[in-house]
Amino acid sequence: MLAFENAPPFAAPLRFFLTAPLFAVLAGLLVAFEGPDIFASRWTPGALAATHLITIGFMLQVMLGALIQILPVVAGANLKRPLAVARLVNVGLSAGALLLAAGFLSGIPALLGSAALILALTVLLFLTATIMALIGVPTTSPTIRGIKFALFSLAGVVGLGIVLALGLAYGWPLPLMALADLHAGWGLGGWAGVLLAAMAYVVVPMFQLTPGYPARSSWWFPVFMLLMLLLWSVALIADWPLLVRFGQLGAALAGIAFAGLTLRLQGKRRRARPDATYRYWQLGLTNSIFALFLLSTVAVWPAAADIDGWTLAFGVLLVAGGFLPFITGMLYKIVPFLSWMHLQNSGQAKVPAPAMNKILSEPEMHRQMLAYAVALALLLAAIFFPVWLARPAGLAFAIANGWLWWNIASAIRRYRLHLADIEAKLAVKLATS
């Protein structure tokens, strides 16, 4: 049961949704500026900077903003002073992502250390606020369980990230590559993957008119994913490489199972005409399955990771091809829906709100989605033909995400125009009643 009356002020999540695409634009411009060198390895300074501009600047921004909106509505967990929390977290994530990218590119230890400190404090503030809100909230649905498990994983991925940033800055004797893989596992599997699934249990049936997810698998998906990540972590500490690979394989297969199940449910949807959200999800699900197939293959046959382009293809497919389409597709539902809901409330049942397509139209979203699909195809091709395609791919990625920002900003501008119109009409009605 969703309690929309508990929703925080619109400005709380909105600042995250407007900031996030700008970081993806920066990442695209960085790829274009660095050119073919950025595709030489996942460990180049440019690749590390672009990756974190997307994972922190785009993904984490949207996900934390969405949680500030969703926690009171889905779980009845009301954050104290949500606007103040949102302002501090938004600024902290933005500053931390920029400093981290600058630290990777320049190699200056102080920048990496500052980024680690700011991101640690920012996530600590967010976790403190959300955990306090969740105290006493019973786990009555797979979505609430998934959110709780995802928050635990967020602490894990940020903790590992801080250790890695400080280790890189000050030359600590750490197994950086193995820890970076584990950091990515907790970030993409435990945090982003589990939270995505928890949200999918609500938004896919509601917005795409599919049947609901099976209860048993929904309850056990976050548990299984967490167990695999814990196994991977313990095996890494104990230096048991076979169990490390077993943990990776289990996490990859769980992700494939979730994606396959979602595709199956979408095949049974009651809405015949696909919209931009549906197409974005189809794109994300297909790419995720390919990416996780690559990961599971490496878990069984480690030498595959040495094949040219294998690791980069996995990263581009899972992040740019999987998570970003999921998130963008949800933004295209969440922003118009929240606008409509706040307009409806402003009208006080006396002045109706406009339809959601008056706030953000399907053709606008569809054209941007096509631009993103072209950018993604160029990014994947640039892995194998970097000299020819690296710069066009970066520019195309920047343009597609700049277009996303423009669409969201246009929706907010129309929301404000409709709000002013509704308030004026309401004042007339109240004065004449």
Short mmCIF file of all heavy atoms in Angstrom, two decimals, residues 73-138:
data_model
loop_
_atom_site.label_atom_id
_atom_site.label_comp_id
_atom_site.label_asym_id
_atom_site.label_seq_id
_atom_site.Cartn_x
_atom_site.Cartn_y
_atom_site.Cartn_z
N VAL A 73 6.87 6.93 1.27
CA VAL A 73 5.69 6.47 0.51
C VAL A 73 5.56 4.95 0.57
O VAL A 73 4.47 4.41 0.77
CB VAL A 73 5.80 6.94 -0.96
CG1 VAL A 73 4.65 6.38 -1.79
CG2 VAL A 73 5.80 8.47 -1.03
N VAL A 74 6.68 4.25 0.41
CA VAL A 74 6.65 2.78 0.33
C VAL A 74 6.74 2.13 1.71
O VAL A 74 6.04 1.15 1.99
CB VAL A 74 7.81 2.28 -0.56
CG1 VAL A 74 7.94 0.77 -0.49
CG2 VAL A 74 7.57 2.71 -2.01
N ALA A 75 7.61 2.69 2.57
CA ALA A 75 7.88 2.04 3.86
C ALA A 75 7.28 2.79 5.04
O ALA A 75 7.37 2.30 6.18
CB ALA A 75 9.39 1.90 4.04
N GLY A 76 6.74 3.99 4.82
CA GLY A 76 6.24 4.78 5.95
C GLY A 76 7.36 5.30 6.82
O GLY A 76 7.15 5.62 8.00
N ALA A 77 8.58 5.39 6.25
CA ALA A 77 9.75 5.86 7.00
C ALA A 77 9.97 7.33 6.66
O ALA A 77 10.56 7.65 5.62
CB ALA A 77 10.97 5.03 6.63
N ASN A 78 9.52 8.20 7.53
CA ASN A 78 9.62 9.64 7.27
C ASN A 78 10.95 10.19 7.77
O ASN A 78 11.25 10.10 8.96
CB ASN A 78 8.46 10.37 7.95
CG ASN A 78 7.12 9.99 7.35
OD1 ASN A 78 6.92 10.06 6.14
ND2 ASN A 78 6.20 9.55 8.20
N LEU A 79 11.72 10.76 6.86
CA LEU A 79 12.98 11.39 7.25
C LEU A 79 12.70 12.70 7.97
O LEU A 79 11.79 13.44 7.58
CB LEU A 79 13.84 11.67 6.02
CG LEU A 79 14.74 10.55 5.50
CD1 LEU A 79 13.93 9.40 4.95
CD2 LEU A 79 15.70 11.09 4.45
N LYS A 80 13.49 12.98 9.01
CA LYS A 80 13.38 14.28 9.67
C LYS A 80 14.08 15.32 8.79
O LYS A 80 15.19 15.10 8.31
CB LYS A 80 14.04 14.24 11.05
CG LYS A 80 13.25 13.40 12.06
CD LYS A 80 13.87 13.47 13.43
CE LYS A 80 13.06 12.65 14.43
NZ LYS A 80 13.68 12.61 15.77
N ARG A 81 13.42 16.44 8.56
CA ARG A 81 13.95 17.54 7.76
C ARG A 81 14.48 17.05 6.42
O ARG A 81 15.69 17.16 6.11
CB ARG A 81 15.03 18.28 8.54
CG ARG A 81 14.57 18.77 9.92
CD ARG A 81 15.64 19.51 10.64
NE ARG A 81 15.99 20.74 9.93
CZ ARG A 81 17.04 21.51 10.25
NH1 ARG A 81 17.80 21.18 11.28
NH2 ARG A 81 17.30 22.60 9.56
N PRO A 82 13.62 16.47 5.57
CA PRO A 82 14.09 15.90 4.30
C PRO A 82 14.74 16.91 3.37
O PRO A 82 15.68 16.57 2.64
CB PRO A 82 12.81 15.33 3.69
CG PRO A 82 11.69 16.05 4.36
CD PRO A 82 12.16 16.35 5.74
N LEU A 83 14.26 18.18 3.39
CA LEU A 83 14.87 19.18 2.51
C LEU A 83 16.31 19.48 2.91
O LEU A 83 17.20 19.59 2.05
CB LEU A 83 14.04 20.47 2.55
CG LEU A 83 12.93 20.59 1.51
CD1 LEU A 83 12.16 21.89 1.68
CD2 LEU A 83 13.50 20.51 0.10
N ALA A 84 16.55 19.59 4.20
CA ALA A 84 17.92 19.87 4.67
C ALA A 84 18.84 18.69 4.35
O ALA A 84 19.98 18.88 3.90
CB ALA A 84 17.90 20.15 6.17
N VAL A 85 18.35 17.47 4.58
CA VAL A 85 19.14 16.28 4.26
C VAL A 85 19.45 16.25 2.76
O VAL A 85 20.59 15.99 2.34
CB VAL A 85 18.40 15.00 4.69
CG1 VAL A 85 19.13 13.75 4.18
CG2 VAL A 85 18.27 14.94 6.21
N ALA A 86 18.43 16.54 1.95
CA ALA A 86 18.61 16.49 0.49
C ALA A 86 19.64 17.52 0.04
O ALA A 86 20.50 17.22 -0.79
CB ALA A 86 17.27 16.73 -0.21
N ARG A 87 19.58 18.72 0.59
CA ARG A 87 20.54 19.77 0.18
C ARG A 87 21.97 19.33 0.51
O ARG A 87 22.87 19.41 -0.34
CB ARG A 87 20.23 21.07 0.91
CG ARG A 87 18.99 21.79 0.42
CD ARG A 87 18.93 23.20 1.01
NE ARG A 87 17.62 23.79 0.77
CZ ARG A 87 16.67 23.93 1.69
NH1 ARG A 87 16.89 23.52 2.93
NH2 ARG A 87 15.51 24.47 1.39
N LEU A 88 22.19 18.85 1.73
CA LEU A 88 23.55 18.48 2.15
C LEU A 88 24.07 17.28 1.34
O LEU A 88 25.23 17.27 0.91
CB LEU A 88 23.55 18.15 3.65
CG LEU A 88 23.36 19.35 4.59
CD1 LEU A 88 23.17 18.89 6.03
CD2 LEU A 88 24.57 20.28 4.49
N VAL A 89 23.21 16.28 1.14
CA VAL A 89 23.65 15.08 0.42
C VAL A 89 23.93 15.41 -1.04
O VAL A 89 24.92 14.95 -1.62
CB VAL A 89 22.58 13.96 0.54
CG1 VAL A 89 22.92 12.79 -0.37
CG2 VAL A 89 22.49 13.49 1.99
N ASN A 90 23.08 16.23 -1.64
CA ASN A 90 23.28 16.62 -3.04
C ASN A 90 24.61 17.37 -3.23
O ASN A 90 25.39 17.07 -4.15
CB ASN A 90 22.10 17.48 -3.49
CG ASN A 90 22.24 17.99 -4.91
OD1 ASN A 90 22.28 19.18 -5.14
ND2 ASN A 90 22.34 17.11 -5.89
N VAL A 91 24.88 18.32 -2.35
CA VAL A 91 26.13 19.08 -2.45
C VAL A 91 27.33 18.17 -2.17
O VAL A 91 28.36 18.22 -2.87
CB VAL A 91 26.10 20.26 -1.46
CG1 VAL A 91 27.48 20.92 -1.37
CG2 VAL A 91 25.06 21.29 -1.88
N GLY A 92 27.21 17.31 -1.16
CA GLY A 92 28.32 16.41 -0.81
C GLY A 92 28.66 15.45 -1.93
O GLY A 92 29.83 15.23 -2.26
N LEU A 93 27.64 14.86 -2.54
CA LEU A 93 27.89 13.92 -3.65
C LEU A 93 28.51 14.64 -4.84
O LEU A 93 29.42 14.11 -5.49
CB LEU A 93 26.58 13.25 -4.08
CG LEU A 93 25.97 12.21 -3.15
CD1 LEU A 93 24.71 11.63 -3.77
CD2 LEU A 93 26.97 11.10 -2.85
N SER A 94 28.01 15.83 -5.13
CA SER A 94 28.54 16.58 -6.28
C SER A 94 30.00 16.94 -6.06
O SER A 94 30.85 16.71 -6.94
CB SER A 94 27.71 17.85 -6.50
OG SER A 94 26.35 17.54 -6.73
N ALA A 95 30.30 17.49 -4.88
CA ALA A 95 31.68 17.88 -4.59
C ALA A 95 32.59 16.64 -4.55
O ALA A 95 33.71 16.65 -5.08
CB ALA A 95 31.75 18.63 -3.26
N GLY A 96 32.11 15.57 -3.92
CA GLY A 96 32.92 14.36 -3.81
C GLY A 96 33.22 13.74 -5.17
O GLY A 96 34.36 13.32 -5.43
N ALA A 97 32.22 13.69 -6.04
CA ALA A 97 32.43 13.11 -7.37
C ALA A 97 33.43 13.93 -8.18
O ALA A 97 34.31 13.38 -8.85
CB ALA A 97 31.10 13.00 -8.11
N LEU A 98 33.31 15.26 -8.10
CA LEU A 98 34.23 16.12 -8.86
C LEU A 98 35.66 16.01 -8.33
O LEU A 98 36.62 15.91 -9.11
CB LEU A 98 33.75 17.57 -8.79
CG LEU A 98 32.46 17.89 -9.56
CD1 LEU A 98 32.00 19.30 -9.27
CD2 LEU A 98 32.68 17.71 -11.06
N LEU A 99 35.81 16.00 -7.00
CA LEU A 99 37.15 15.88 -6.42
C LEU A 99 37.77 14.53 -6.73
O LEU A 99 38.98 14.43 -7.01
CB LEU A 99 37.07 16.08 -4.90
CG LEU A 99 36.89 17.52 -4.42
CD1 LEU A 99 36.60 17.56 -2.93
CD2 LEU A 99 38.17 18.33 -4.71
N LEU A 100 36.95 13.47 -6.70
CA LEU A 100 37.48 12.14 -6.98
C LEU A 100 37.95 12.05 -8.43
O LEU A 100 39.04 11.52 -8.71
CB LEU A 100 36.40 11.09 -6.71
CG LEU A 100 36.85 9.63 -6.67
CD1 LEU A 100 37.90 9.41 -5.58
CD2 LEU A 100 35.66 8.70 -6.44
N ALA A 101 37.15 12.56 -9.35
CA ALA A 101 37.55 12.54 -10.76
C ALA A 101 38.82 13.37 -10.96
O ALA A 101 39.75 12.93 -11.68
CB ALA A 101 36.41 13.09 -11.63
N ALA A 102 38.87 14.53 -10.32
CA ALA A 102 40.08 15.36 -10.43
C ALA A 102 41.29 14.65 -9.83
O ALA A 102 42.41 14.74 -10.35
CB ALA A 102 39.85 16.70 -9.73
N GLY A 103 41.07 13.92 -8.72
CA GLY A 103 42.16 13.18 -8.10
C GLY A 103 42.70 12.08 -8.99
O GLY A 103 43.92 11.88 -9.11
N PHE A 104 41.80 11.35 -9.65
CA PHE A 104 42.25 10.29 -10.57
C PHE A 104 43.04 10.90 -11.73
O PHE A 104 44.08 10.37 -12.13
CB PHE A 104 41.04 9.52 -11.13
CG PHE A 104 40.46 8.53 -10.17
CD1 PHE A 104 39.09 8.49 -9.93
CD2 PHE A 104 41.26 7.60 -9.52
CE1 PHE A 104 38.53 7.58 -9.05
CE2 PHE A 104 40.72 6.68 -8.63
CZ PHE A 104 39.35 6.67 -8.39
N LEU A 105 42.53 11.99 -12.28
CA LEU A 105 43.17 12.58 -13.46
C LEU A 105 44.52 13.22 -13.13
O LEU A 105 45.45 13.15 -13.93
CB LEU A 105 42.24 13.63 -14.08
CG LEU A 105 40.98 13.07 -14.75
CD1 LEU A 105 40.01 14.19 -15.12
CD2 LEU A 105 41.36 12.28 -16.01
N SER A 106 44.61 13.84 -11.95
CA SER A 106 45.84 14.57 -11.61
C SER A 106 46.84 13.73 -10.82
O SER A 106 48.04 14.01 -10.82
CB SER A 106 45.49 15.82 -10.79
OG SER A 106 44.94 15.43 -9.53
N GLY A 107 46.31 12.72 -10.09
CA GLY A 107 47.18 11.93 -9.23
C GLY A 107 47.58 12.66 -7.95
O GLY A 107 48.49 12.20 -7.25
N ILE A 108 46.92 13.76 -7.63
CA ILE A 108 47.25 14.52 -6.42
C ILE A 108 46.60 13.84 -5.20
O ILE A 108 45.36 13.73 -5.15
CB ILE A 108 46.76 15.98 -6.54
CG1 ILE A 108 47.48 16.67 -7.70
CG2 ILE A 108 47.00 16.74 -5.24
CD1 ILE A 108 46.97 18.07 -7.99
N PRO A 109 47.40 13.36 -4.24
CA PRO A 109 46.83 12.64 -3.09
C PRO A 109 45.80 13.45 -2.31
O PRO A 109 44.81 12.90 -1.83
CB PRO A 109 48.06 12.33 -2.23
CG PRO A 109 49.21 12.35 -3.19
CD PRO A 109 48.87 13.39 -4.20
N ALA A 110 46.02 14.76 -2.17
CA ALA A 110 45.09 15.58 -1.37
C ALA A 110 43.69 15.58 -1.98
O ALA A 110 42.69 15.62 -1.24
CB ALA A 110 45.63 17.00 -1.27
N LEU A 111 43.60 15.53 -3.29
CA LEU A 111 42.28 15.52 -3.93
C LEU A 111 41.56 14.19 -3.65
O LEU A 111 40.37 14.17 -3.34
CB LEU A 111 42.41 15.74 -5.44
CG LEU A 111 42.85 17.13 -5.88
CD1 LEU A 111 43.03 17.18 -7.40
CD2 LEU A 111 41.81 18.17 -5.45
N LEU A 112 42.30 13.08 -3.77
CA LEU A 112 41.70 11.78 -3.48
C LEU A 112 41.29 11.69 -2.01
O LEU A 112 40.21 11.18 -1.68
CB LEU A 112 42.68 10.66 -3.83
CG LEU A 112 42.98 10.45 -5.32
CD1 LEU A 112 44.14 9.48 -5.51
CD2 LEU A 112 41.74 9.93 -6.04
N GLY A 113 42.15 12.19 -1.11
CA GLY A 113 41.84 12.16 0.32
C GLY A 113 40.63 13.03 0.64
O GLY A 113 39.75 12.63 1.42
N SER A 114 40.56 14.21 0.03
CA SER A 114 39.42 15.11 0.28
C SER A 114 38.13 14.48 -0.23
O SER A 114 37.08 14.55 0.43
CB SER A 114 39.64 16.46 -0.43
OG SER A 114 40.82 17.06 0.03
N ALA A 115 38.21 13.86 -1.42
CA ALA A 115 37.02 13.22 -1.97
C ALA A 115 36.54 12.09 -1.05
O ALA A 115 35.33 11.95 -0.79
CB ALA A 115 37.33 12.65 -3.36
N ALA A 116 37.48 11.29 -0.56
CA ALA A 116 37.11 10.18 0.34
C ALA A 116 36.43 10.71 1.59
O ALA A 116 35.41 10.15 2.04
CB ALA A 116 38.36 9.37 0.69
N LEU A 117 36.97 11.79 2.16
CA LEU A 117 36.40 12.35 3.40
C LEU A 117 34.99 12.89 3.15
O LEU A 117 34.06 12.61 3.91
CB LEU A 117 37.32 13.46 3.92
CG LEU A 117 36.83 14.18 5.17
CD1 LEU A 117 36.76 13.21 6.35
CD2 LEU A 117 37.76 15.36 5.51
N ILE A 118 34.84 13.65 2.08
CA ILE A 118 33.52 14.27 1.79
C ILE A 118 32.47 13.19 1.48
O ILE A 118 31.34 13.24 1.99
CB ILE A 118 33.65 15.26 0.62
CG1 ILE A 118 34.45 16.48 1.07
CG2 ILE A 118 32.28 15.68 0.10
CD1 ILE A 118 34.78 17.44 -0.04
N LEU A 119 32.86 12.21 0.66
CA LEU A 119 31.89 11.16 0.32
C LEU A 119 31.54 10.32 1.55
O LEU A 119 30.38 9.92 1.73
CB LEU A 119 32.44 10.28 -0.80
CG LEU A 119 32.52 10.98 -2.17
CD1 LEU A 119 33.27 10.11 -3.18
CD2 LEU A 119 31.12 11.28 -2.70
N ALA A 120 32.53 10.06 2.41
CA ALA A 120 32.25 9.29 3.63
C ALA A 120 31.26 10.03 4.52
O ALA A 120 30.28 9.44 5.02
CB ALA A 120 33.56 9.02 4.37
N LEU A 121 31.49 11.32 4.73
CA LEU A 121 30.60 12.11 5.60
C LEU A 121 29.21 12.22 4.99
O LEU A 121 28.20 12.16 5.69
CB LEU A 121 31.20 13.49 5.84
CG LEU A 121 32.47 13.53 6.69
CD1 LEU A 121 33.04 14.95 6.75
CD2 LEU A 121 32.19 13.01 8.11
N THR A 122 29.17 12.38 3.67
CA THR A 122 27.86 12.53 2.99
C THR A 122 27.03 11.26 3.12
O THR A 122 25.84 11.31 3.47
CB THR A 122 28.09 12.86 1.50
OG1 THR A 122 28.86 14.05 1.40
CG2 THR A 122 26.76 13.03 0.79
N VAL A 123 27.65 10.12 2.82
CA VAL A 123 26.91 8.86 2.90
C VAL A 123 26.57 8.54 4.35
O VAL A 123 25.49 7.99 4.64
CB VAL A 123 27.71 7.74 2.22
CG1 VAL A 123 27.03 6.39 2.43
CG2 VAL A 123 27.84 8.02 0.73
N LEU A 124 27.47 8.88 5.28
CA LEU A 124 27.18 8.66 6.70
C LEU A 124 25.95 9.47 7.12
O LEU A 124 25.08 8.96 7.84
CB LEU A 124 28.39 9.05 7.54
CG LEU A 124 28.26 8.82 9.05
CD1 LEU A 124 28.05 7.33 9.36
CD2 LEU A 124 29.50 9.35 9.79
N LEU A 125 25.87 10.72 6.67
CA LEU A 125 24.70 11.54 6.98
C LEU A 125 23.44 10.90 6.42
O LEU A 125 22.41 10.80 7.12
CB LEU A 125 24.89 12.94 6.37
CG LEU A 125 23.64 13.83 6.35
CD1 LEU A 125 23.23 14.22 7.76
CD2 LEU A 125 23.87 15.09 5.49
N PHE A 126 23.51 10.46 5.16
CA PHE A 126 22.32 9.86 4.53
C PHE A 126 21.92 8.57 5.26
O PHE A 126 20.73 8.36 5.55
CB PHE A 126 22.61 9.56 3.06
CG PHE A 126 21.45 8.92 2.34
CD1 PHE A 126 20.41 9.69 1.86
CD2 PHE A 126 21.39 7.54 2.18
CE1 PHE A 126 19.33 9.11 1.22
CE2 PHE A 126 20.31 6.95 1.55
CZ PHE A 126 19.28 7.74 1.06
N LEU A 127 22.90 7.73 5.55
CA LEU A 127 22.58 6.46 6.23
C LEU A 127 22.01 6.71 7.63
O LEU A 127 21.07 6.04 8.05
CB LEU A 127 23.83 5.58 6.31
CG LEU A 127 24.27 4.93 5.00
CD1 LEU A 127 25.60 4.21 5.17
CD2 LEU A 127 23.21 3.95 4.51
N THR A 128 22.56 7.68 8.32
CA THR A 128 22.04 8.00 9.67
C THR A 128 20.58 8.44 9.59
O THR A 128 19.73 7.98 10.36
CB THR A 128 22.90 9.10 10.32
OG1 THR A 128 24.26 8.66 10.37
CG2 THR A 128 22.41 9.40 11.73
N ALA A 129 20.29 9.34 8.63
CA ALA A 129 18.92 9.85 8.48
C ALA A 129 17.95 8.72 8.10
O ALA A 129 16.84 8.63 8.65
CB ALA A 129 18.89 10.95 7.43
N THR A 130 18.37 7.87 7.17
CA THR A 130 17.46 6.82 6.71
C THR A 130 17.30 5.71 7.75
O THR A 130 16.19 5.18 7.93
CB THR A 130 17.94 6.22 5.38
OG1 THR A 130 19.31 5.83 5.50
CG2 THR A 130 17.81 7.19 4.25
N ILE A 131 18.38 5.36 8.43
CA ILE A 131 18.28 4.30 9.45
C ILE A 131 17.39 4.76 10.61
O ILE A 131 16.57 4.00 11.12
CB ILE A 131 19.68 3.88 9.93
CG1 ILE A 131 20.40 3.12 8.81
CG2 ILE A 131 19.59 3.01 11.18
CD1 ILE A 131 21.86 2.87 9.05
N MET A 132 17.55 6.04 11.00
CA MET A 132 16.67 6.56 12.06
C MET A 132 15.21 6.51 11.62
O MET A 132 14.31 6.22 12.42
CB MET A 132 17.07 8.00 12.41
CG MET A 132 18.38 8.09 13.20
SD MET A 132 18.86 9.80 13.52
CE MET A 132 17.52 10.32 14.58
N ALA A 133 14.97 6.79 10.33
CA ALA A 133 13.59 6.75 9.83
C ALA A 133 13.07 5.32 9.76
O ALA A 133 11.86 5.08 9.92
CB ALA A 133 13.53 7.40 8.44
N LEU A 134 13.97 4.38 9.52
CA LEU A 134 13.54 2.98 9.36
C LEU A 134 13.42 2.22 10.68
O LEU A 134 12.88 1.11 10.70
CB LEU A 134 14.53 2.24 8.46
CG LEU A 134 14.37 2.48 6.94
CD1 LEU A 134 15.59 1.97 6.19
CD2 LEU A 134 13.11 1.80 6.42
N ILE A 135 13.94 2.81 11.78
CA ILE A 135 13.84 2.13 13.08
C ILE A 135 12.36 1.94 13.43
O ILE A 135 11.57 2.87 13.42
CB ILE A 135 14.56 2.95 14.17
CG1 ILE A 135 16.07 2.91 13.96
CG2 ILE A 135 14.21 2.41 15.57
CD1 ILE A 135 16.85 3.78 14.92
N GLY A 136 12.01 0.72 13.71
CA GLY A 136 10.62 0.41 14.07
C GLY A 136 9.75 0.08 12.88
O GLY A 136 8.59 -0.31 13.06
N VAL A 137 10.29 0.25 11.65
CA VAL A 137 9.49 -0.09 10.46
C VAL A 137 9.61 -1.59 10.20
O VAL A 137 10.71 -2.09 9.94
CB VAL A 137 9.97 0.70 9.22
CG1 VAL A 137 9.26 0.22 7.96
CG2 VAL A 137 9.75 2.19 9.43
N PRO A 138 8.53 -2.35 10.28
CA PRO A 138 8.62 -3.80 10.07
C PRO A 138 8.89 -4.13 8.60
O PRO A 138 8.50 -3.38 7.70
CB PRO A 138 7.24 -4.31 10.50
CG PRO A 138 6.32 -3.15 10.32
CD PRO A 138 7.14 -1.92 10.57
#
